[in-house]
Amino acid sequence: MKIDIIESKTVVIPVENIDTDQIIPARYLKTTSMEGLGDGLFYDWRYNPDGSPKADFPLNQPAAKEAHILVVGDNFGCGSSREHAPWALTQFGIRAVISTSFADIFRGNSLKNGLLPVIVPADVHAELLKWPGIVLKIDLASQKVFLPGGRSVEFPIDAFSKNCLLNGVDELGYMLNQEAAIAAYEAKRQDSVNTLA
Amino acid sequence: MSGNAKARTIVDKIWDNHVVAQQAGAPALIFIDLHLCHEVTSPQAFSMLRERGLKVRRPDLTIATMDHSTPTTSRDLPIVDTIAAAQIAQMETNCKEFGLRLYNRMSDHQGIVHVIGPEQGLTQPGMTIVCGDSHTATHGAFGALAFGIGTSQVGHVLASQCLLQTPSQAYEIRVDGQLKPGVTAKDIILAVIAKIGIGGGTGCVFEYTGSAIRSLSMEERMTICNMSIEGGARAGLVAPDDTTYQYLAGREFAPKGKAWDDAVARWKQLPTDPGATYAKQLVLDANTLEPMVTFGTNPGMGMSISGSIPTPAATTDPIERSDLEKALKYMALEPGKPLAGHPIDVVFIGSCTNSRISDLLAAAAVMKGRKVNPKVRMLVVPGSQQVRKQAIAEGLDEIFRASGAEFREAGCSMCLAMNGDQLEPGQYSVSTSNRNFEGRQGKGGRTFLASPLTAAASAIAGAVADPRKLA
Ligand code: SF4
């Protein structure tokens, strides 16, 4: 799940504090695989009780089909730690989410699934919220979002996550390569770690 | 992080004790002392281990239970929901294949993962504890650094017993003074979240300090730490003290004999050094707190029970205003009106926030000799089989049943409505759980979060009720 450049129209859900229960309702969490979660994405916001799509919900507009960039309000992804949330977003086709802030666990989960959380300054964010459907280019290498008219803004990302996304580094592989350090630590802490044994 | 000469917070100390390696330009590799697993967020992690031919590195530091999709009906009945049944069966298979200790549906140690860890003495001061669940902060009540992780990280911990982490900022939440009668630990944490907002602690670990926190029991401290995530913090903790040691002594997995004495000596080094600094601070006076209740669709939308529902027109920020309008529309509530007296359909006493024996005792004391309003369905769901057993031994089940409430088997139940226990569209509940998000307790359901006392008083009144005014 490498990322370098993401270029697409935006789809905008101008709501703050969107929690992961809305992104993927708990009833979709009974699965033991990752399949089919895209269908449950924002289910209760996307569909009427009779199962028909709500025409005015942004993800139901025809343009949303080709959009890979989602723009949302502050503190996106708060609440439950369910990684099903980034799984559902990526299965729907979303590759970057733009906001002013993200909940910690959601941000971590996204980075592990090739979904780029992009934090932009409040003034730029306010503009993006107002213009759904504009085309943005996100360049991870330079950490820049290019807006129409040639403007660009930088966004923060830690060096390690950036490297993992750009080069497809396997995080667990990186961890397991430090086996010697883990074993040494275990030996040192033998007396103070309580085991269930 | 800080060197030895510098005054350190308890968070710094636990962090320093758990750094396995720190490579340049990368997060630290942190050792995990205890990993708790449940059926909903682990299956894909076990699949990953299988695909890569990996084992669980430390089965002796891993424990599993079933709680989220597990029915709270009689254990003699089969699981009706075939998808949930398959998930539960998969948990059995995974634990057997990877050699993990599992407290399954039939075990008398089964329960909500954050209730069973402490009650069995698995949760101990100074530990790093993780679980694929955002309410892992509950274990912070013991002075442990405990936080929720995603399923990829569940896989990382299973395979390596480590996590890649960057340190969080320490945020002191000091609560001084003394709670008034009818006001509980739940009201403290709801007041904190109402004050700082649900994103207020993002990037932080809360340390709860102050005389009001010190005088709380372990179960009350768990209620507070539990909802740290609702304030945006991944973890929240209380430094250990004699209350902590008294609770732990003699529990199944707590150290014994000389090992206990050594452990207590180590634990006594944990509290924050005088002079250590916090990145942020909030001070609250417990004397001024009233019972709290939420009115909206996130846990930060809370107010005193004697207050009125806020008016969107009074909010200046346009997005905040539209969010409040959206919340009140979903809740079908009128701005400016009191919430006390609003009719309700369901009362739920349970969840990892408030399902321990002291919570059931508090609710039972209210219900004793009184009746659940005939328009209300009241569910009492103990957090674990052990809590349930103790409640029965103390006759609480009889008190609840005599009042007209249901006394069910242990699990998460209506906290997240995955197991068949759920609200009908449009119904109102007063719940002791931790989240009032849209549809959290069932599609279209509307949740008022409150303490067990407020919930029980509301069950009797058939409406949101102030427990201090109980006739
Ligand atoms: S009781 Fe609720 S909040 Fe706690 S672990 Fe279960 S579902 Fe999560």
Side-chain angles (χ1 to χ4, degrees), chain A residues 1-192:
Chain A
M1 274 170 289
K2 283 208 224 176
I3 292 187
D4 45 11
I5 289 172
I6 303 165
E7 189 166 8
S8 104
K9 286 187 178 173
T10 63
V11 55
V12 177
I13 307 179
V15 179
E16 288 183 357
N17 299 315
I18 296 178
D19 61 81
T20 53
D21 272 84
Q22 307 315 315
I23 299 172
I24 182 85
R27 54 186 186 279
Y28 289 94
L29 272 51
K30 291 179 216 166
T31 176
T32 54
S33 74
M34 297 183 192
E35 269 136 57
L37 290 167
D39 300 336
L41 180 70
F42 282 108
Y43 193 94
D44 295 345
W45 290 8
R46 257 166 86 194
Y47 297 99
N48 292 307
D50 67 2
S52 60
K54 293 184 186 173
D56 58 347
F57 187 66
L59 290 185
N60 290 336
Q61 329 256 291
K65 293 269 178 304
E66 299 103 56
H68 303 304
I69 301 175
L70 177 66
V71 181
V72 291
D74 289 346
N75 194 32
F76 184 73
C78 60
S80 158
S81 59
R82 59 191 70 168
E83 200 161 320
H84 308 66
W87 294 336
L89 284 161
T90 50
Q91 284 174 25
F92 188 83
I94 303 297
R95 301 182 57 210
V97 187
I98 301 182
S99 180
T100 42
S101 62
F102 293 91
D104 289 331
I105 304 179
F106 175 83
R107 195 174 47 82
N109 285 342
S110 297
L111 291 167
K112 289 179 177 52
N113 289 281
L115 178 65
L116 188 63
V118 177
I119 295 179
V120 294
D123 55 335
V124 174
H125 183 244
E127 285 180 45
L128 295 180
L129 286 177
K130 271 189 260 167
W131 300 331
I134 59 165
V135 175
L136 298 179
K137 185 169 120 179
I138 301 171
D139 178 16
L140 177 57
S142 66
Q143 295 180 219
K144 277 187 181 147
V145 181
F146 293 90
L147 298 118
R151 269 193 306 153
S152 67
V153 282
E154 248 179 75
F155 63 90
I157 182 168
D158 69 278
F160 183 78
S161 301
K162 178 175 169 179
N163 180 34
C164 287
L165 287 172
L166 279 174
N167 301 312
V169 174
D170 164 30
E171 246 183 76
L172 179 56
Y174 169 85
M175 294 168 73
L176 293 174
N177 275 338
Q178 302 185 56
E179 164 62 32
I182 302 173
Y185 180 90
E186 284 175 326
K188 185 180 82 182
R189 287 263 332 270
Q190 213 162 28
D191 301 333
S192 55

Side-chain angles (χ1 to χ4, degrees), chain B residues 67-68 112-114 133 135 226 351-352 412 415-416 434 440:
Chain B
D67 50 7
H68 281 66
I112 304 173
V113 65
H114 310 309
D133 189 282
H135 290 99
N226 172 271
S351 90
C352 56
C412 294
C415 175
L416 92 163
N434 43 50
R440 170 77 180 188

